[in-house]
Amino acid sequence: MKDENKPFNDAIDHFNEIEGNASNPSNAKINKLPKQLKYFGYFMIGFISLSILLMIILNLLN
């Protein structure tokens, strides 16, 4: 293990090994989420966006 990736205490080491924290941000694979989670996120973003747009339109009609 390189010096730059070594944890500086046991709590950080535990967090890196047991809880899956990436020791280096370049090692984190954020884009590798499960398809169901991606689709749920897309659905929620779309739902919230459409809700805001609908509220704006309905407020303008009144």
Side-chain angles (χ1 to χ4, degrees):
M1 185 182 279
K2 295 179 183 177
D3 281 340
E4 62 195 35
N5 291 337
K6 282 188 178 180
F8 58 88
N9 63 21
D10 290 335
I12 299 298
D13 186 40
H14 171 75
F15 192 65
N16 288 340
E17 291 180 2
I18 304 301
E19 297 183 5
N21 185 30
S23 61
N24 190 354
S26 65
N27 292 339
K29 296 178 181 174
I30 305 290
N31 294 331
K32 298 289 183 179
L33 293 174
K35 286 183 183 179
Q36 296 86 358
L37 189 58
K38 281 184 185 179
Y39 294 148
F40 179 74
Y42 294 148
F43 172 76
M44 290 303 293
I45 290 171
F47 177 75
I48 290 170
S49 300
L50 287 175
S51 298
I52 291 171
L53 183 64
L54 186 62
M55 286 190 316
I56 291 171
I57 291 171
L58 290 176
N59 279 333
L60 290 175
L61 290 176
N62 288 335

